[in-house]
Amino acid sequence: MCKLLPHLIDMKQICFLTAALLCLFLPARAAEPTAISIQTDHTQLVLTVDANGNLRTRHYGARIADPVLFLGMDTQAKRPNGAGPMTLPTTGGVFVGSPALHVRYADGNHNTELYYTGHQSRSKDGVTTTEISLKDPVTTLQVKLVYEAYGREDVILAHTEITNSGKKPVELLDYASSAMHFEADRYLLTHTWGGWASEMQVDRELLGHDTKVIESRRGVQATQRNNPSFLLSLGSAEFSETAGDVVAGALAWSGNFRLTFDRDDAGRLHVLAGISPHAATYPLAPGKTFVTPDMVWTFSGAGAGQASRNLHRWARNYGVYRGGQVHPTLLNSWEGAYFTFTTETLLRMIDDAAGMGLEMFVLDDGWFAKDYPRNGDDAGLGDWEVNTDKLPEGIDYVASYAHDKGLKFGIWIEPEMVNPQSNLAHNHPEWVVKSPGRDIYQERNQWVLDLSNPAVQDFVYGIFDGVMQLSKNIDYVKWDCNRVIQSFGSTYLGHEQDRFFVEYCQGLYNVMRRIRAKYPDVLIQCCSSGGGRVDYGALRYFDEIWTSDNTDGDCRAYIQYATNLIYPPFIMGAHVSAVPNHQSGNVTPLKFRFDMACTGRLGLELQPKNFSARERALAERCIASYYQYRDLVFNGDLYRLSSPYDSDYYALMYVSPDKSRAVVYTYCLRYQNREGSQHGFRLEGLDPERSYRVKELNVDRSCWWGDGKEFSGAFLGTGAFNPDLPQKYSSAVFYLEAK
Ligand code: DGJ
């Protein structure tokens, strides 16, 4: 601090005296300039500490040998704010950009200036955790920046821990998890937008000089409109799978989020990611610490494909609950039966599922509530007892029947919600999210329960626990959540409504922690009207997602492609449904629907008895062949060969980690012309030296001239792999095995 003072002496003696006095009381700032290196096998984040204790971000990208050289950059700043980006930009000091941290103190002051006080690192099992401590010498606010570097996966997690070490409460106005800073000529942002049944649509834009914000204020179902994730191509206006520097990020949080892309006047880009502060000024009492959610970062110097593979590997090894474990194929009752079924209906569906070679039957909505039976979406939510009018023998009877047939059994719940027509709504009106004195808006005829309230958390946990007691043969739970939060208000929080959105999400995680402690082995699907809750926060507790209610194979190409930019294929529930598709009305061939669904966790969602004999035979064939390569869906590496957004032909492949096996999926999404139908794809990820036998699956006559023959990985990478896909919705799947 004292080193900064001489220029003030010339200006005003009085300032010097005041500052000198302060020096007696304030902790000294770092004396030794230091470079802090946070690295993985192929990436590196370098931060520097200058003589005054300013912590700045100098590099996030490829590994470099001598990070200490960055210290030289501290010597040439022309102006205080020209010295390079503060690692955690705060409102205060000379900083006037978008802050990662903005605090209002008890006296109304908005200024925070953080200085380095120390750091430490520890490594265990390939993960290095670095904690950097910062402190504001005036307000005594303390912040810890925590980075976890996953060596083999090339992923870095970042979060902050903000401690009010003063004597009065403070308010957090902005509290991003992480800020990352980039220096490039161009920044091409790839992110997703969408809505119900059209989640995860790709948007690409070159960032201009304004601030770009991607935000969710939906409370729950936070990701249906947009996802808290992105890819950033650095120094390029082109999106490339295989070339160039690409950074990818994803916030591990299931509530309101905000991603800010802020370019400064020097052209640098500052990316901030965290909980949305919308209606969420968070109060921090003396002695309390607020821990932000993790931001997941990765970098690839070889295009977007590698960035996705880094995230997928991390997800498999760390980010997804029991990631990489193979999930059963299934028949889900929803589109085949909706709310209208009896025990008999379900038993016949189970028979068909077993007969087709599926591995699980999932009973979806409609099985519960007695006084307000769940015969439509307008009643029963909240009353989780079996509807014995529909299922007089109970759930255990159906679940045991499935087990006897060699199938696992799953069941649907929507525990965060309540229909006004339910005993729960009548008995606990104080548990419903509502704004005092106003009507409660309904969506899908339902209201939201206030998970910020610990009593509601107990109740929601009790729903899961109670349903699990219905039968010892429940292997899988589909957890649904079918509306957003509007006109929010919590009776429990009283006048502290600002805590609501944060504590709703933390409440959900509290419940999930308890569920996982008691039911570590139950497969739990995260569904929210389809893909309304797809994020790495939820995936710490859930095994898979319901990708979208839109099961049209054509629409799924776009949704699944975009989902896999950030999230691994193995979490994607992907179902074959009837035509015309119940959402889009589109008619696609059954084989096309299977070939699309087989890129994720395969399921069927239809009434099997409506299959013709030919359709049923094809279904059985596709299901059987899926088992031949399913381990590649769950544990292989994804290579995107062409994008549905950029090409009439969509293709992708999964390659086993040892490169001995692969599966290639190809589709025609738009009819072009007969000449162009033999579209060449360059296969990737194979060993160029090894020889692979290529076999098309699920057909008697292949659409590729090389079917059944052997080719080197190098040859298959030339574009000579050109299956004939002559019509809209032609598709072909190939299995490759090295000799
Ligand atoms: C929405 C889900 O996305 C569907 O799959 C289905 O479970 C319905 N809810 C049931 O109400």
Side-chain angles (χ1 to χ4, degrees):
M1 167 106 186
C2 294
K3 286 188 181 179
L4 289 177
L5 292 173
H7 71 285
L8 297 176
I9 300 173
D10 299 338
M11 292 159 51
K12 281 186 186 166
Q13 192 80 17
I14 191 79
C15 288
F16 172 73
L17 290 173
T18 313
L21 268 175
L22 278 172
C23 276
L24 296 175
F25 300 104
L26 303 179
R29 293 183 194 159
E32 278 303 309
T34 313
I36 303 171
S37 177
I38 295 158
Q39 62 199 44
T40 65
D41 286 2
H42 306 99
T43 74
Q44 196 162 16
L45 169 65
V46 181
L47 315 177
T48 59
V49 182
D50 70 14
N52 294 317
N54 293 297
L55 182 72
R56 295 199 165 90
T57 299
R58 295 305 185 185
H59 170 75
Y60 179 46
R63 281 281 291 265
I64 40 144
D66 34 22
V68 79
L69 294 180
F70 283 111
L71 289 174
M73 294 177 80
D74 286 325
T75 61
Q76 73 164 26
K78 289 195 189 141
R79 301 192 333 255
N81 59 358
M86 301 298 274
T87 298
L88 192 77
T90 58
T91 296
V94 295
F95 180 72
V96 290
S98 300
L101 180 64
H102 180 183
V103 182
R104 181 162 53 209
Y105 295 91
D107 61 359
N109 195 297
H110 283 253
N111 289 280
T112 299
E113 292 184 47
L114 295 171
Y115 297 95
Y116 169 90
T117 59
H119 78 279
Q120 53 178 8
S121 294
R122 57 182 184 277
S123 295
K124 197 176 171 216
D125 301 333
V127 185
T128 303
T129 304
T130 304
E131 297 182 348
I132 304 169
S133 300
L134 305 169
K135 186 168 184 174
D136 185 326
V138 172
T139 66
T140 74
L141 189 89
Q142 289 181 299
V143 174
K144 205 189 276 176
L145 305 183
V146 183
Y147 298 92
E148 279 176 32
Y150 293 79
R152 280 169 304 145
E153 293 79 10
D154 288 324
V155 162
I156 295 175
L157 262 53
H159 75 260
T160 67
E161 299 180 5
I162 307 155
T163 301
N164 178 5
S165 38
K167 291 198 164 45
K168 295 190 173 151
V170 303
E171 292 173 303
L172 306 181
L173 303 175
D174 283 291
Y175 38 98
S177 294
S178 177
M180 206 59 98
H181 313 272
F182 303 98
E183 185 101 46
D185 290 339
R186 289 162 176 204
Y187 307 95
L188 178 70
L189 176 67
T190 302
H191 62 101
T192 55
W193 66 280
W196 175 75
S198 65
E199 299 87 340
M200 288 283 193
Q201 304 295 310
V202 167
D203 238 354
R204 282 191 210 124
E205 62 194 278
L206 264 182
L207 292 173
H209 286 87
D210 287 335
T211 302
K212 161 96 187 166
V213 173
I214 299 172
E215 185 165 29
S216 174
R217 300 177 174 191
R218 301 163 65 90
V220 294
Q221 226 177 51
T223 72
Q224 201 153 52
R225 175 80 184 86
N226 43 33
N227 196 269
S229 63
F230 60 89
L231 295 157
L232 204 53
S233 307
L234 302 176
S236 172
E238 297 295 321
F239 180 86
S240 169
E241 282 291 335
T242 52
D245 287 357
V246 175
V247 169
L251 185 73
W253 181 248
S254 309
N256 291 346
F257 63 82
R258 182 188 283 177
L259 308 174
T260 305
F261 302 84
D262 194 12
R263 266 181 104 173
D264 67 19
D265 47 9
R268 281 183 297 238
L269 180 68
H270 310 282
V271 182
L272 312 174
I275 294 173
S276 165
H278 165 70
T281 296
Y282 201 84
L284 200 59
K288 292 285 181 207
T289 297
F290 185 84
V291 180
T292 68
D294 280 317
M295 179 64 185
V296 184
W297 293 102
T298 192
F299 168 82
S300 155
Q306 188 58 48
S308 299
R309 285 189 290 280
N310 292 348
L311 291 176
H312 297 173
R313 281 192 185 167
W314 172 80
R316 194 176 299 129
N317 295 338
Y318 302 97
V320 174
Y321 191 77
R322 290 186 301 179
Q325 181 170 305
V326 168
H327 301 172
T329 59
L330 60 87
L331 172 66
N332 177 297
S333 67
W334 182 239
E335 289 199 7
Y338 289 111
F339 294 104
T340 312
F341 53 81
T342 60
T343 303
E344 190 55 25
T345 322
L346 305 182
L347 301 192
R348 295 296 71 82
M349 288 177 99
I350 290 169
D351 289 341
D352 282 327
M356 286 188 291
L358 294 170
E359 297 169 325
M360 180 156 71
F361 176 73
V362 178
L363 172 55
D364 210 282
D365 200 349
W367 58 267
F368 55 92
K370 282 182 174 160
D371 296 338
Y372 302 90
R374 182 77 172 165
N375 294 326
D377 62 19
D378 58 346
L381 273 183
D383 299 351
W384 296 97
E385 74 242 296
V386 182
N387 179 345
T388 42
D389 287 340
K390 269 186 197 172
L391 304 175
E393 300 86 353
I395 293 296
D396 185 51
Y397 181 79
V398 182
S400 302
Y401 186 85
H403 272 228
D404 288 347
K405 292 277 172 179
L407 298 187
K408 293 181 184 301
F409 180 79
I411 194 162
W412 180 96
I413 56 173
E414 190 179 359
E416 296 160 75
M417 301 284 161
V418 57
N419 282 126
Q421 287 198 67
S422 67
N423 287 323
L424 179 65
H426 298 141
N427 295 340
H428 285 287
E430 79 285 8
W431 284 359
V432 176
V433 173
K434 60 173 176 286
S435 175
R438 298 180 196 276
D439 289 342
I440 317 175
Y441 295 100
Q442 291 183 30
E443 249 195 47
R444 211 192 187 218
N445 303 305
Q446 64 195 56
W447 295 333
V448 186
L449 294 176
D450 174 12
L451 260 189
S452 73
N453 181 344
V456 177
Q457 292 170 29
D458 285 346
F459 176 76
V460 170
Y461 169 78
I463 292 170
F464 191 102
D465 197 29
V467 166
M468 289 304 297
Q469 310 314 314
L470 294 174
S471 168
K472 64 179 187 330
N473 292 327
I474 295 177
D475 306 288
Y476 174 102
V477 175
K478 175 175 175 178
W479 179 302
D480 208 343
C481 173
N482 280 304
R483 63 162 290 177
V484 300
I485 293 176
Q486 297 150 334
S487 187
F488 76 94
S490 160
T491 308
Y492 169 74
L493 289 174
H495 62 272
E496 294 205 1
Q497 298 296 313
D498 278 3
R499 284 165 44 200
F500 174 76
F501 285 115
V502 170
E503 292 190 12
Y504 185 101
C505 188
Q506 286 172 339
L508 172 71
Y509 293 160
N510 289 344
V511 172
M512 292 312 299
R513 266 191 292 276
R514 287 172 70 185
I515 288 173
R516 279 317 189 183
K518 184 160 179 190
Y519 300 104
D521 299 328
V522 175
L523 258 158
I524 311 180
Q525 184 188 68
C526 187
C527 170
S528 180
S529 299
R533 192 180 262 162
V534 180
D535 66 81
Y536 279 122
L539 286 166
R540 289 217 162 101
Y541 308 101
F542 291 89
D543 300 78
E544 65 172 35
I545 58 160
W546 179 222
T547 318
S548 174
D549 275 352
N550 190 338
T551 46
D552 174 344
D554 189 342
C555 304
R556 274 295 183 119
Y558 300 85
I559 294 170
Q560 295 180 180
Y561 165 92
T563 301
N564 293 153
L565 289 173
I566 301 293
Y567 303 99
F570 68 80
I571 65 159
M572 278 191 323
H575 294 182
V576 174
S577 58
V579 289
N581 183 272
H582 292 196
Q583 273 59 250
S584 68
N586 197 18
V587 175
T588 58
L590 183 60
K591 179 160 184 306
F592 179 82
R593 280 174 271 154
F594 263 103
D595 288 351
M596 197 63 71
C598 282
T599 64
R601 193 275 292 131
L602 173 66
L604 269 63
E605 185 155 339
L606 41 67
Q607 175 49 273
K609 73 171 187 234
N610 295 339
F611 271 148
S612 68
R614 256 181 83 219
E615 287 172 331
R616 167 99 181 212
L618 178 62
E620 288 178 17
R621 192 171 182 180
C622 292
I623 293 164
S625 70
Y626 178 71
Y627 298 134
Q628 193 180 345
Y629 60 80
R630 170 171 55 174
D631 61 307
L632 303 179
V633 178
F634 282 78
N635 288 303
D637 286 321
L638 165 68
Y639 291 84
R640 292 180 287 265
L641 307 180
S642 70
S643 152
Y645 293 88
D646 300 322
S647 169
D648 298 325
Y649 299 91
Y650 174 39
L652 66 152
M653 61 191 287
Y654 301 127
V655 183
S656 65
D658 68 358
K659 297 188 181 297
S660 67
R661 295 159 63 236
V663 56
V664 182
Y665 307 84
T666 60
Y667 316 87
C668 174
L669 297 181
R670 285 171 286 274
Y671 175 70
Q672 287 298 290
N673 58 49
R674 296 268 174 218
E675 284 306 305
S677 71
Q678 291 172 22
H679 187 77
F681 300 100
R682 293 168 184 269
L683 302 196
E684 286 177 47
L686 302 174
D687 183 339
E689 308 291 325
R690 287 171 90 173
S691 182
Y692 295 86
R693 181 181 297 280
V694 182
K695 189 78 201 113
E696 185 175 354
L697 302 176
N698 306 325
V699 288
D700 299 326
R701 241 182 92 211
S702 175
C703 67
W704 188 47
W705 59 268
D707 188 60
K709 301 192 173 76
E710 285 174 17
F711 303 93
S712 69
F715 179 84
L716 292 167
T718 62
F721 177 76
N722 61 342
D724 191 19
L725 301 168
Q727 294 181 328
K728 185 173 181 173
Y729 306 141
S730 297
S731 63
V733 179
F734 298 86
Y735 180 65
L736 277 63
E737 199 157 22
K739 273 187 28 186

